Structures are given as structure tokens and as C-alpha cells.
């Protein structure tokens, strides 16, 4: 097989967006994927704001939105059963949810249709190095070991990526590694079209239980994407599995009983490891990581798709510069860190501030919800002023 300028490992939203922009820049790109699309991915299924301009540039925004369910607001519930509903207001008047197996497939299939080189059923096993620089990928393709060569390898193979571990990008901090559990439930009661975030007793550091409506059931209830997002350290405190925590919430809280008492699990619960906050460099000589492979899930609300697509676009831009300069050194590829910081750095700072001062523990969350119930204008900026915190970044989702 011919050598490529760039090999992208992973055909999800991060890898596909990267491949799209690599081809747009005139690069000879190969994208490889272990599975076949459509495939599932454990996620809350929300379409994040940073995705929208990228999907629009690709020309598939309308197609993704047509397959999505509209959420009209967000509700927060604290450990004392205080619930505050905040309708979405301009500029973000609605939010969309769509199962990942649907919208990942739309994005992947579109990018492949543009003519990039693409291989499914390629299980990437290790990075190939020469003179301490990555120069390709070794993998198992249809039962046969195959080596693929490229000037640059971009990892977009998710948070369990063994190649990211090999490259030293793997996040180990138990306060910033979350465990996600997700299931689809029919007949969820007492919820409208709003998303819900629950912060029960003993949840801390941004851990929560979510319910995101995705379809209407015939009896007036909802099908919801329901899940747990909890740090490794917090889960250890519980001494339970994520599944046990979810069912504890169902059986021991007011809203858990109301929402899931008569609900029926559709399919099975699935779990995943979720590294957050991008706390270390994710580049080295001949290799970059995007999205979950680069620990880019946010550390407060847990969204990853927006960062994956944004970093995929940034990686393609740096790849184009590297190919033009024929320089794939660790020093040159440091430009990628600068690009990601420019695109996402303020967002991560805002998430960290929100995690520390709004969802740190039961009391900070209750105080924040009490503030929201007063209906004070100014959103999060006003809240931080009320507790004497000066911030120089605009928190996400603020009005």
C-alpha cells in the first residue's frame, strides 16, 4: 500500500472531521476504523455548539438536525430535591439530542463519500517508530498483520486507545477520569422536553446523573438517554459500580422514583472511561491526538463531540503546515497545542470554574440553584459576582 501524508486512526466524529479538513487542504489522507458504521458510542447524545459550524461547512447540518430531538431547556436538581428549570433563550433557543450511532454514521458516511481512502475492520495495535519518530501504524486487518506508513499519524480512536497510551497521552488522574454509564429507557415519567442534570447526595466534582429526552412514547411519557457521569475517585468513595449508583438513585430519591419507577430499559446499559479537561500535551514526533484520545471531554458537563470535531479541524490545519514544511518533529507539532488552546482553552477554564464553584459538592450546588430560583438577571456571570469570584472567561451555557 502506498505511503500517505496522514493516517487517521478512528472514523468517529473527531477522525472524520479531521479527514474532511485534511482532504480539503489537499493532503493524501487515509482513515482507518476498527468497527463498521453505524456503530454505537456511549454518550449523552447531545449536539454541542462547536459542532454546528463544522457540520455546516461540511454541508450536512440540516441532515443531522432532521434526525435529532429538540430539547427546550435544562433542569438542575440538587441533593435536597430542589429543581430549577431554565428555558433556553437566545442565542441558543433550543438544544438537540440524537443517538450517536445515527449522527456519527451520518458524518462518517459523508466524509467517506468525498473520496478519502478508508479502511474498516482495521484494528490498530501499535505505533511504528523510526529514530524516535512515529511513522506509521501496525494493525490487524481481516486477520492479517498489516503495516501502514505515513508522515503523520493522528489518533482519534477514543478514550480506550492503546495507541494513545503508547504515546504517553493517557490520562490517569482519578479526579479527572470519569466513568460514564448510559442506557435508553422508555416510559420515563414526569419529564418534558428539557434535559435534566441530577446532583444527588455524595456526588462531587461535577459528577451527576443525566436524563436527556430523545423521543415521545405513546402514553405521554418519554424515551430518555439516562446515564451516570462520575469521577473515578468519587465512584471509589461509593464502593459501588456505576450501574449500582444509578439504581440507588432510582430507588432512594424523589425524582429517581418518579422518573424510572415505571421505566423500561431498552437494550442494555453500557459503560465507558472518559478522560477530561486536557491536562497534558497530546503531541509527539510524528503523532497527534484528537478528541477523547487527547483527554478532551469537558470536566464539568462531560461533552466530548464538540471538542473532538474542533480538535480534528485544528489537527488537519497543523498537518497541512507540517506536510508543507516537511517537518514532523515534536517541536514543530507543538503548534497543535497552541491551536487547541486557542480554540478550547477558555472553554476548559470555564468548565473548571463551574465545577469548583457550582458543582463541587452538595452545598455549592444548592447555593447555585437557590440563586437560579431567584430569577436574577445576568446568568452565571451574576452568580460568580454574588459569591465574590472574579472570572475572566465566559462560562458555557450562560445567558
Amino acid at each position: 500500500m502506498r505511503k500517505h501524508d496522514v493516517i487517521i486512526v478512528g472514523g468517529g466524529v473527531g477522525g472524520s472531521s479531521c479527514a474532511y479538513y485534511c482532504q480539503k487542504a489537499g493532503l493524501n489522507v487515509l482513515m482507518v476504523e476498527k468497527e463498521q458504521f453505524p456503530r454505537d458510542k456511549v454518550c449523552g447524545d447531545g449536539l454541542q455548539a462547536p459542532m454546528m459550524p463544522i457540520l455546516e461547512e461540511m454541508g450536512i447540518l440540516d441532515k443531522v438536525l432532521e434526525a435529532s430531538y429538540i430539547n427546550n431547556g435544562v433542569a438542575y436538581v440538587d441533593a435536597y430535591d430542589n429543581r430549577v428549570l431554565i428555558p433556553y433563550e437566545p442565542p441558543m433557543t433550543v438544544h438537540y439530542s440524537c443517538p450517536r450511532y445515527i449522527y456519527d454514521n451520518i458524518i462518517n458516511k459523508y466524509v467517506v463519500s468525498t473520496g478519502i481512502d478508508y479502511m474498516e475492520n482495521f484494528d490498530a495495535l501499535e505505533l511504528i517508530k523510526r529514530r524516535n519518530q512515529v511513522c506509521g501504524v501496525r494493525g490487524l486487518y481481516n486477520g492479517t498483520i498489516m503495516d501502514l506508513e505515513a508522515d503523520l499519524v493522528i489518533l482519534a480512536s477514543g478514550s480506550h486507545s492503546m495507541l494513545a497510551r503508547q504515546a504517553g497521552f493517557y490520562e490517569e488522574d482519578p479526579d479527572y477520569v470519569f466513568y460514564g454509564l448510559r442506557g435508553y429507557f422508555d416510559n420515563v415519567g414526569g419529564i418534558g422536553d428539557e434535559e435534566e442534570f441530577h446532583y444527588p447526595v455524595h456526588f462531587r466534582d461535577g459528577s451527576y446523573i443525566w436524563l436527556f429526552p430523545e423521543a415521545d412514547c405513546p402514553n405521554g411519557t418519554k424515551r430518555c438517554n439516562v446515564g451516570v457521569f462520575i469521577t473515578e475517585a468519587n465512584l471509589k468513595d461509593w464502593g459501588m459500580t456505576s450501574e449500582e449508583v444509578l439504581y440507588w438513585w432510582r430507588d432512594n430519591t424523589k425524582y429517581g422514583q418518579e422518573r424510572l419507577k415505571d421505566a423500561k430499559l431498552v437494550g442494555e446499559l453500557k459503560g465507558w472511561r472518559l478522560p477530561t479537561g486536557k491536562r497534558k500535551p497530546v503531541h509527539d514526533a510524528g503523532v497527534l491526538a484528537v478528541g477523547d484520545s487527547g483527554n478532551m471531554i469537558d470536566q464539568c458537563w462531560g461533552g466530548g463531540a464538540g471538542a473532538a470535531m474542533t480538535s480534528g479541524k485544528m489537527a488537519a490545519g497543523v498537518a497541512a503546515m507540517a506536510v508543507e514544511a516537511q517537518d514532523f518533529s515534536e517541536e514543530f507539532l507543538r503548534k497543535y497545542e497552541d491551536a487547541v488552546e486557542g480554540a478550547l482553552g477558555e472553554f476548559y477554564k470555564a468548565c473548571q470554574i463551574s465545577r469548583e464553584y457550582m458543582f463541587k459538592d452538595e452545598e455549592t450546588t444548592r447555593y447555585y440553584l437557590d440563586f437560579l430560583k431567584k430569577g436574577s438577571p445576568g446568568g452565571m456571570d451574576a452568580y460568580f459576582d454574588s459569591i465574590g469570584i472574579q472570572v475572566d472567561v465566559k462560562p458555557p451555557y450562560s445567558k
Side-chain angles (χ1 to χ4, degrees):
M1 180 175 287
R2 62 195 174 98
K3 178 180 177 182
H4 289 79
D5 295 328
V6 178
I7 291 175
I8 299 168
V9 182
V13 297
S16 292
S17 59
C18 187
Y20 173 82
Y21 286 103
C22 280
Q23 187 190 60
K24 198 171 181 181
L27 302 183
N28 176 11
V29 58
L30 167 66
M31 184 166 70
V32 298
E33 166 59 42
K34 179 180 179 180
E35 301 183 47
Q36 292 182 323
F37 278 74
R39 60 94 176 98
D40 193 16
K41 178 179 172 62
V42 179
C43 184
D45 295 344
L47 302 181
Q48 295 180 292
M51 302 169 61
M52 301 304 183
I54 295 176
L55 292 171
E56 191 167 24
E57 287 179 356
M58 290 181 177
I60 56 174
L61 177 59
D62 288 346
K63 187 172 184 180
V64 172
L65 295 186
E66 285 172 6
S68 302
Y69 188 83
I70 294 177
N71 303 134
N72 294 309
V74 57
Y76 297 107
V77 183
D78 68 14
Y80 307 95
D81 292 329
N82 296 309
R83 184 181 188 270
V84 179
L85 173 61
I86 306 172
Y88 286 126
E89 297 180 0
M92 190 175 83
T93 56
V94 297
H95 189 255
Y96 295 89
S97 293
C98 182
R100 290 293 298 266
Y101 76 89
I102 294 177
Y103 81 72
D104 281 28
N105 186 56
I106 292 172
I107 296 168
N108 172 275
K109 289 293 197 292
Y110 170 71
V111 172
V112 171
S113 75
T114 64
I116 65 165
D117 289 336
Y118 181 55
M119 296 171 61
E120 288 186 327
N121 303 313
F122 184 91
D123 186 4
L125 302 175
E126 62 178 322
L127 297 169
I128 301 170
K129 284 190 173 184
R130 296 194 191 99
R131 303 184 190 89
N132 295 318
Q133 180 165 310
V134 173
C135 59
V137 178
R138 177 168 294 126
L140 189 64
Y141 180 62
N142 291 335
T144 302
I145 293 293
M146 177 180 289
D147 288 353
L148 303 174
E149 293 190 8
D151 293 317
L152 179 65
V153 174
I154 298 176
L155 306 180
S157 45
S159 59
H160 283 194
S161 171
M162 294 306 297
L163 274 61
R165 181 185 283 274
Q166 181 187 348
F169 303 155
Y170 204 72
E171 176 61 67
E172 302 285 3
D173 188 335
D175 288 322
Y176 285 87
V177 172
F178 284 75
Y179 283 83
L181 180 78
R182 183 222 64 197
Y184 294 99
F185 286 80
D186 276 352
N187 299 322
V188 175
I191 192 170
D193 291 332
E194 67 274 7
E195 304 159 350
E196 278 191 345
F197 292 86
H198 293 259
Y199 299 87
V201 62
H202 305 318
F203 270 51
R204 59 180 174 84
D205 294 329
S207 301
Y208 61 79
I209 289 170
W210 78 73
L211 294 95
F212 296 161
E214 293 197 347
D216 298 314
C217 294
N219 59 359
T221 59
K222 299 288 181 180
R223 170 174 287 189
C224 288
N225 177 322
V226 180
V228 179
F229 180 68
I230 188 168
T231 68
E232 182 178 344
N234 198 182
L235 190 60
K236 185 177 180 181
D237 293 341
W238 278 80
M240 296 182 182
T241 66
S242 299
E243 182 174 346
E244 289 171 335
V245 170
L246 176 63
Y247 288 127
W248 172 90
W249 174 77
R250 179 196 64 185
D251 296 336
N252 293 279
T253 69
K254 171 187 172 183
Y255 284 100
Q257 292 176 26
E258 183 177 332
R259 298 292 182 263
L260 297 186
K261 178 183 177 182
D262 297 319
K264 180 180 178 181
L265 177 65
V266 180
E268 60 182 349
L269 293 170
K270 295 184 178 181
W272 208 245
R273 179 185 181 279
L274 305 166
T276 71
K278 193 185 180 296
R279 301 169 60 80
K280 60 172 65 177
V282 289
H283 78 283
D284 200 355
V287 60
L288 307 172
V290 306
D292 295 6
S293 293
N295 314 309
M296 293 184 189
I297 298 166
D298 88 62
Q299 68 269 44
C300 187
W301 281 274
M309 297 190 76
T310 300
S311 60
K313 182 176 181 178
M314 299 300 102
V318 172
M321 289 188 286
V323 169
E324 182 177 6
Q326 282 299 290
D327 188 346
F328 307 94
S329 65
E330 184 275 338
E331 181 178 3
F332 188 91
L333 295 180
R334 191 173 293 120
K335 297 178 188 295
Y336 176 61
E337 306 294 341
D338 296 336
V340 172
E341 174 64 23
L344 297 172
E346 295 297 290
F347 173 70
Y348 287 128
K349 291 177 186 176
C351 289
Q352 184 63 29
I353 291 168
S354 300
R355 168 177 161 143
E356 291 180 5
Y357 294 103
M358 292 157 53
F359 305 112
K360 178 67 178 175
D361 52 29
E362 298 158 30
E363 293 307 314
T364 56
T365 303
R366 179 169 68 171
Y367 192 93
Y368 175 55
L369 266 61
D370 285 345
F371 177 83
L372 292 177
K373 284 194 292 187
K374 296 175 183 176
S376 302
M380 290 184 185
D381 293 336
Y383 173 69
F384 289 129
D385 287 342
S386 76
I387 59 174
I389 301 298
Q390 299 298 314
V391 297
D392 59 359
V393 294
K394 191 171 185 62
Y397 312 131
S398 59
K399 296 181 182 179

